[in-house]
């Protein structure tokens, strides 16, 4: 996706519409991978800061939590809702950090939006400490009733060809990351060891 300004325009309403779904997933992330005291956490594609925000009181035990995103509007809202979050406008495929500095790197519902998800994974791998943990999430096809309802509404309003064109622009790798085996393959090819997938 080359133009992220549309996210600037929807930032104020984003959490109202999507927040509860993303919060549930973020809570699951931290239940599976609770960061150790003193850890440094990076959230790639942080948006309104939902993933870091769901850390709650644990943020005070961490050495740092940084959220990066392309959308200045989303970052502004993230900073407002979580003052302790350090935010940075950055490309997921060209992160402005040294090698091997983060203990945990997250990218929740981000890889599908990248034109080159391999470059995004390579950057996550590069900035992660050798003992660090990378967590990514993606939707499966027709994940839940919300997805089904959204698909039905879109089908009534937009032609199938137009919808496919829009998805290809906004989330070019969404279809790829709907498949569990593809997720495993992408992570393994990027160099990550001990890959686990939790559908």
């Amino acid at each position: 996706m080359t133009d992220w300004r549309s996210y600037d325009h929807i930032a104020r309403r984003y959490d109202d519409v999507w927040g509860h779904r993303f919060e549930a997933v973020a809570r699951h992330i931290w239940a599976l991978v609770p960061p150790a005291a003193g850890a440094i956490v990076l959230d790639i594609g942080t948006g309104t800061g939902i993933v870091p925000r769901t850390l709650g009181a644990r943020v005070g035990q961490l050495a740092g939590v940084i959220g990066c995103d392309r959308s200045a509007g989303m970052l502004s809202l993230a900073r407002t809702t979580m003052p302790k979050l350090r935010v940075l406008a950055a490309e997921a495929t060209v992160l402005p950090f040294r090698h091997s500095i983060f203990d945990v790197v997250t990218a929740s519902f981000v890889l599908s939006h990248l034109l080159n998800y391999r470059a995004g994974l390579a950057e996550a791998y590069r900035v992660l400490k050798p003992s660090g943990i990378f967590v990514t999430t993606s939707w499966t096809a027709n994940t839940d009733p919300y997805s089904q309802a959204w698909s039905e509404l879109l089908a009534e309003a937009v032609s199938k060809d137009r919808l496919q064109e829009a998805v290809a622009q906004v989330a070019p790798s969404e279809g790829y990351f709907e498949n569990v085996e593809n997720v495993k393959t992408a992570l393994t090819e990027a160099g990550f060891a001990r890959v686990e997938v939790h559908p």
Side-chain angles (χ1 to χ4, degrees):
M1 184 173 185
T2 56
D3 189 348
W4 292 84
R5 286 174 295 186
S6 61
Y7 282 94
D8 291 344
H9 300 304
I10 65 170
R12 295 280 169 211
R13 293 291 320 275
Y14 190 82
D15 285 354
D16 295 338
V17 176
W18 297 104
H20 66 285
R21 295 181 77 201
F22 293 129
E23 283 174 12
V25 174
R27 283 191 299 274
H28 189 63
I29 288 171
W30 300 126
L32 285 171
V33 185
I40 304 173
V41 175
L42 171 66
D43 183 38
I44 300 171
T46 201
T48 60
I50 290 173
V51 173
R53 200 164 58 234
T54 56
L55 278 163
R58 287 181 279 191
V59 169
Q61 302 168 358
L62 303 176
V65 182
I66 299 170
C68 67
D69 202 284
R70 283 285 311 275
S71 168
M74 297 288 247
L75 289 173
S76 176
L77 187 58
R79 186 90 188 263
T80 300
T81 58
M82 189 181 171
K84 290 186 178 181
L85 178 66
R86 289 184 258 169
V87 299
L88 178 70
E91 289 270 359
T93 55
V94 190
L95 295 172
F97 304 109
R98 295 187 319 269
H99 289 54
S100 308
I101 60 170
F102 294 101
D103 298 287
V104 179
V105 174
T106 59
S108 191
F109 304 106
V110 171
L111 295 177
S112 62
H113 291 278
L114 303 180
L115 287 172
N116 184 352
Y117 71 82
R118 288 179 179 91
L121 284 171
E123 280 294 273
Y125 185 85
R126 181 184 68 77
V127 300
L128 191 66
K129 291 179 180 177
S131 61
I133 297 173
F134 174 66
V135 180
T136 186
T137 63
S138 61
W139 299 117
T140 58
N142 296 321
T143 303
D144 55 27
Y146 297 103
S147 296
Q148 187 61 39
W150 179 246
S151 296
E152 290 170 7
L153 286 170
L154 284 176
E156 292 175 13
V158 181
S159 72
K160 186 176 180 179
D161 290 344
R162 185 108 163 103
L163 180 58
Q164 287 175 339
E165 179 183 317
V167 169
Q169 289 178 1
V170 175
S173 302
E174 186 168 293
Y176 181 81
F177 284 105
E178 287 178 348
N179 180 289
V180 169
E181 291 306 314
N182 289 347
V183 173
K184 290 179 184 176
T185 298
L187 293 172
T188 302
E189 287 177 352
F192 294 102
R194 298 191 310 270
V195 172
E196 296 180 17
V197 176
H198 299 265

